[in-house]
Amino acid sequence: MSIPHGRKLLLSSCVVAILATLGTGLARVAAKSATEAPAGFNTPSFNSAASISNGIVEPPGDTFARDQNVYEQNKAVADGLGPVYNAQSCVSCHQNPNSGAASQFTELRVGHNDANGNFVNPTIFINDGKNTITGRSIVNDRAIGPEAQEHIPDTENIRTLRAALNTLGDGFVEAIDDNTLIAIAEGQPELSGGKIHGEIVQAPIFEAPGQTRVGRFGWKDQHSSLLSFIADAYVNEMGITNRLRPKDATTVLKTTQDPEDTPDELGLADIDHFAQFIRGTMVPPRDVALAATPAAQVGHLLFQQLGCGTCHVETIVTAPAGTIIDGGQFTVPDALGDKIIHPFGDYLLHDIGTGDGIVQVGPQDTANKLRTAPLWGLRTRPRFMHDLRSLTLENAISRHDGEAREPARRFKELSPEEKAALITFLNTL
């Protein structure tokens, strides 16, 4: 399969520009001899004895298998589940193809705009209108009894579904230096003729009150540390309070005392085991055999040529081992430091025309922006985009508008053979 001469020129200039944008990270590869992060789907669900970590050192007395077992435990009402919740375990929403990955699950977010057009979190009525839940955009699908079941009033006319995210390899993502993500954002306007510029959000660090870091977790980059992300999910998705998020959304039907997540004999709470498990996972692997085919190799070139790599950044290098992050609460270990990862994502917020209207940590201009979806592990997913409404990769690409209008237009202009090659490449991820 050949590429027209004009496209080859465009490809060459695009690759050069991308390398310039990633100069900070790539320079570190040469200067520090960074190594590839270990890759693999090596956390088979409910078979932790067969799981293999990325080599991270465990806390005294702990094991990676134990971390995974805690991650997979179903919680009951007596454990603090609810009163409102979405799932009974972490693995319920993060399991395809194994523990820690993405799934078909979505969560519901709602709200409304005020008279000035600013997003406002909803007021959700429960208990036949006697009680309300406020201060958050998430609406839980389940409750431990009908009195606590949430219902959306007509006034909350911003409504959206969001897919549960992959967490495999997120320890490496946490270990990315803030300046690396900032450099990627600053380089995007030049790459795209001023059309693309990812937004950085400074997200709070719950374990370091008053401090922030560049957000990278969640569809709105609302978290910068894994422990914060996990603690928030534990209370919002399962209704289990913990030392970082000690208050339930409602006390209706509540019988347990806060915080419900208490330390075990090792001194580790569930959120600590969850964080250790995710930090210990390998990055999603490529389909090496398919990637070696001529079609996939041409598709890879087209991917960069079209400008997809401006946001779906292929290569990032993590901070050196020993770097102190998360407001001084975590030190990048040897297993995560100076590692080359290939997430095909920039962990920045963009408006590509599919925004959900929700504002979380960022300013009001983030309402219709979402985090670029990292494409590693893409081949394990049957549905795509933040709302899982795209059932084919072609449809997902066609929905890219706004900042990504030009790459989507270029895709439409490809020949059928070229489109097939690009899709083959995506199926290697």
Side-chain angles (χ1 to χ4, degrees), residues 110-298:
V110 308
H112 63 275
N113 288 335
D114 64 16
N116 296 317
N118 294 320
F119 177 79
V120 178
N121 281 323
T123 296
I124 302 298
F125 294 94
I126 61 173
N127 197 19
D128 295 325
K130 300 182 187 72
N131 302 90
T132 60
I133 294 176
T134 60
R136 62 181 201 158
S137 60
I138 191 171
V139 175
N140 294 109
D141 285 316
R142 304 167 75 180
I144 61 174
E147 294 85 357
Q149 183 61 54
E150 297 179 77
H151 300 283
I152 306 169
D154 292 340
T155 53
E156 310 302 340
N157 53 12
I158 297 175
R159 305 171 184 185
T160 186
L161 295 177
R162 286 193 202 160
L165 291 163
N166 164 73
T167 65
L168 296 178
D170 270 356
F172 298 96
V173 177
E174 183 180 36
I176 299 171
D177 188 273
D178 280 6
N179 290 325
T180 300
L181 297 178
I182 292 170
I184 292 173
E186 291 177 344
Q188 288 175 337
E190 183 177 353
L191 287 177
S192 61
K195 295 180 175 66
I196 295 174
H197 190 186
E199 181 168 353
I200 293 287
V201 170
Q202 291 291 338
I205 305 167
F206 295 161
E207 61 268 39
Q211 298 193 53
T212 64
R213 187 170 181 244
V214 173
R216 62 202 66 194
F217 299 118
W219 281 109
K220 293 287 182 174
D221 278 347
Q222 64 265 32
H223 293 294
S224 59
S225 87
L226 274 174
L227 194 59
S228 294
F229 181 60
I230 289 161
D232 205 42
Y234 211 18
V235 73
N236 279 317
E237 306 292 347
M238 296 173 64
I240 296 183
T241 56
N242 53 79
R243 68 177 185 272
L244 299 181
R245 300 294 276 169
K247 186 177 180 181
D248 271 303
T250 181
T251 58
V252 174
L253 300 183
K254 183 175 172 63
T255 59
T256 51
Q257 292 186 339
D258 296 325
E260 293 148 340
D261 177 27
T262 55
D264 58 19
E265 75 278 8
L266 300 178
L268 302 174
D270 288 351
I271 60 173
D272 300 309
H273 285 288
F274 299 160
Q276 190 67 16
F277 170 66
I278 294 173
R279 286 169 176 160
T281 59
M282 299 186 187
V283 300
R286 295 282 301 278
D287 183 335
V288 178
L290 184 60
T293 64
Q297 291 175 3
V298 169

Side-chain angles (χ1 to χ4, degrees), residues 7-87:
R7 288 183 178 165
K8 288 181 179 178
L9 291 177
L10 177 59
L11 170 63
S12 176
S13 62
C14 183
V15 170
V16 169
I18 289 169
L19 291 178
T21 298
L22 298 180
T24 301
L26 295 179
R28 186 178 295 137
V29 176
K32 299 284 189 178
S33 300
T35 57
E36 290 282 340
F41 291 128
N42 291 318
T43 53
S45 296
F46 311 109
N47 185 19
S48 61
S51 295
I52 304 171
S53 78
N54 58 29
I56 195 169
V57 175
E58 292 287 335
D62 196 16
T63 65
F64 188 60
R66 178 169 179 165
D67 296 331
Q68 181 173 333
N69 285 338
V70 177
Y71 187 88
E72 294 172 346
Q73 286 175 357
N74 275 340
K75 296 297 181 178
V77 174
D79 301 313
L81 182 72
V84 292
Y85 69 105
N86 283 330

